[in-house]
């Protein structure tokens, strides 16, 4: 990274202006928030498609079971499903389990993205949060994480 100062025509060294200093930061925030927003919208649509697929599959399976073509042990399906969702192994699906899944998803999506706060804000906004809530989430993730460490 070179010196940001430039030599003027009269031989004196000019200090960088505010725009010269803030432009790269603005570019990173815009880039990160754009990627975050696109990821949030994609996750929202994938989530809807998954919900439609799961719901349709359930309707078909339940209809076939009702007609006597197949037999489904829903208690076993529920046990296996809850075992899959129970990330901390305490035997219950709680907010901590969902937080664990959210953090894994966020860590994967934000890996090596240059502007983490912008990405977080864009992701939250793309998932449907308001602008104010999106930036609070970004600040909490960016600044709050550093305070906890």
């Amino acid at each position: 990274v070179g010196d940001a100062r430039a030599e003027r025509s009269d031989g004196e060294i000019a200090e960088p202006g505010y725009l010269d200093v803030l432009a790269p930061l603005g570019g990173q925030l815009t880039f990160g928030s754009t990627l975050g927003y696109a990821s949030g919208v994609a996750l929202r649509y994938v989530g809807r498609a998954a919900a439609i697929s799961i719901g349709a599959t359930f309707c078909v399976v339940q209809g076939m079971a009702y007609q006597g073509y197949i037999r489904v042990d829903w208690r076993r399906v529920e046990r296996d499903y809850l075992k899959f969702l129970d990330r901390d192994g305490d035997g219950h699906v709680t907010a901590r389990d969902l937080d664990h899944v959210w953090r894994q998803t966020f860590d994967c999506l934000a890996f090596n993205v240059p502007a983490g706060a912008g990405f977080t804000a864009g992701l939250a906004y793309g998932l449907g949060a308001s602008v104010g809530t999106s930036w609070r989430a970004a600040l909490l993730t960016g600044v709050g994480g550093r305070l906890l460490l």
Side-chain angles (χ1 to χ4, degrees), residues 4-133:
R5 297 180 296 177
E7 188 172 329
R8 295 191 319 206
S9 60
D10 60 359
E12 290 195 33
I13 304 234
E15 293 296 322
Y18 289 110
L19 290 177
D20 295 332
V21 173
L22 294 177
L25 178 61
Q28 284 185 354
L29 285 176
T30 303
F31 178 68
S33 60
T34 300
L35 291 177
Y37 177 75
S39 298
V41 170
L43 285 175
R44 196 170 19 157
Y45 282 107
V46 167
R48 287 179 182 168
I52 290 169
S53 298
I54 291 169
T57 301
F58 170 76
C59 290
V60 169
V61 168
Q62 189 65 5
M64 291 177 71
Y66 181 77
Q67 292 296 323
Y69 290 112
I70 60 173
R71 191 160 161 77
V72 181
D73 185 358
W74 287 114
R75 301 266 187 232
R76 183 175 175 191
V77 171
E78 181 184 22
R79 275 194 312 269
D80 291 345
Y81 181 71
L82 292 177
K83 190 185 313 179
F84 172 75
L85 288 179
D86 183 21
R87 296 298 180 147
D88 58 6
D90 65 354
H92 303 286
V93 177
T94 61
R96 284 187 3 215
D97 298 314
L98 298 177
D99 182 57
H100 181 73
V101 170
W102 167 250
R103 291 205 182 274
Q104 281 184 324
T105 303
F106 177 77
D107 289 345
C108 174
L109 292 175
F111 178 73
N112 259 354
V113 173
F119 180 83
T120 305
L123 181 66
Y125 189 65
L127 287 170
S130 69
V131 172
T133 303

